Amino acid sequence: MKLNIAYPVTGLQKMVEIEDEKKLTQLYDKRISQEVDGEGLGDEFKGYVFRITGGYDKQGFTMKQGVLADHRVRLLLKGGTCYRPRRTGERKRKSVRGCIVSHDISALSLVVVKKGEGELPGLTDGNKPRRLGPKRANRIRKLFALSKKDDVRKFVIRREVKTKKEGVTKTKAPKIQRLITPVRLQRKRHMNSLKKRRFEKSKEEAAAYAKLIAARKEEAKSKSRTSKLHSRVSRASKTSAGK
């Protein structure tokens, strides 16, 4: 079985082939996202802890998370992993491998969760710089373990770009997303003040409208009273004239 081991700290990965079935027995019946002790895979992996992230069988069918089986199944898929729909709402029945590791697996993908005592040549002893770094401010803080007081703009990963002129290189950096600056805070305060003004204005207009409605109701009541009074007076005058 081939083991594709990745180490996110250095950005390197290495392929190791293990043919000893005794060493592979501890990988069997494990699921995707479960952790495995590396000491059983060999003395060079002593102290290492790996997490299973995926794999494929001898025919090339990939493992799918959530399919609790150690064999191949046919599922009606509508998107996600193992299938990309070409039209909206399109579904297709595809063969996928379950998320449980068995002897039919040809290659398994592992990620180093905990580093052991010794160094693995080609995996932990080198360093491959990231070509593209994160754009979001919180993710840059997480990558470099920064606090909120640190300036994120100083830690953006820049990359060199070749130009047509010989000996002249330019650097490019991504635009930081969700960056909180004094201008952003000022704009937020301005938007909140506008919202507060609109709320107060609508409140005043509602009060004025309610006052106007009450005044008109009072006018209507007074008009109806006067009309009723006039009608009573006219009726009384008619009755007195008839007598």
Side-chain angles (χ1 to χ4, degrees), residues 1-3 15-20 24 106:
M1 183 186 291
K2 295 178 182 178
L3 301 179
M15 194 272 289
V16 179
E17 192 166 357
I18 298 176
E19 297 180 356
D20 191 359
L24 296 175
S106 174

Side-chain angles (χ1 to χ4, degrees), residues 24-206:
L24 296 175
T25 49
Q26 69 165 352
L27 293 174
Y28 295 156
D29 297 331
K30 294 281 186 180
R31 299 180 188 174
I32 293 178
S33 74
Q34 280 189 339
E35 294 183 357
V36 181
D37 190 9
E39 190 173 356
L41 298 175
D43 296 333
E44 65 271 18
F45 301 113
K46 186 176 181 180
Y48 282 82
V49 178
F50 302 106
R51 186 175 71 247
I52 302 171
T53 57
Y56 55 88
D57 61 5
K58 296 172 183 178
Q59 286 75 33
F61 292 94
T62 56
M63 299 171 67
K64 185 172 174 62
Q65 177 70 289
V67 182
L68 299 179
D70 58 352
H71 51 85
R72 202 183 304 161
V73 294
R74 284 180 62 81
L75 299 176
L76 188 65
L77 302 177
K78 62 178 181 179
T81 57
C82 303
Y83 174 60
R84 182 175 63 88
R86 268 61 176 179
R87 296 181 180 180
T88 55
E90 183 183 11
R91 298 187 300 171
K92 194 172 184 180
R93 195 169 295 278
K94 300 280 286 184
S95 293
V96 294
R97 170 69 58 176
C99 67
I100 300 175
V101 182
S102 65
H103 62 277
D104 294 325
I105 298 297
S106 174
L108 201 66
S109 299
L110 303 175
V111 173
V112 178
V113 178
K114 181 183 176 184
K115 186 184 175 184
E117 301 171 358
E119 296 284 345
L120 295 176
L123 187 66
T124 59
D125 57 351
N127 189 16
K128 184 180 179 182
R130 296 182 61 168
R131 181 180 170 271
L132 299 176
K135 294 180 66 176
R136 195 178 297 177
N138 284 337
R139 292 183 177 174
I140 296 172
R141 291 191 188 99
K142 185 179 178 182
L143 181 65
F144 294 101
L146 304 175
S147 63
K148 290 188 176 181
K149 295 181 181 179
D150 296 326
D151 192 3
V152 184
R153 290 170 288 187
K154 296 179 182 178
F155 294 89
V156 181
I157 296 176
R158 306 185 71 90
R159 61 187 177 92
E160 291 186 355
V161 180
K162 292 182 180 180
T163 58
K164 294 181 179 179
K165 297 180 180 179
E166 293 184 359
V168 179
T169 57
K170 291 184 178 180
T171 58
K172 274 190 175 182
K175 182 182 177 183
I176 303 174
Q177 304 294 322
R178 303 184 187 181
L179 180 64
I180 298 173
T181 58
V183 177
R184 170 65 183 146
L185 294 175
Q186 182 182 358
R187 190 182 297 120
K188 196 172 183 180
R189 288 194 297 269
H190 178 63
M191 297 298 290
N192 288 335
S193 66
L194 289 178
K195 192 186 291 184
K196 193 174 181 181
R197 286 179 201 169
R198 285 197 301 268
F199 176 71
E200 290 175 355
K201 185 180 178 183
S202 63
K203 196 174 180 181
E204 291 174 0
E205 288 177 353

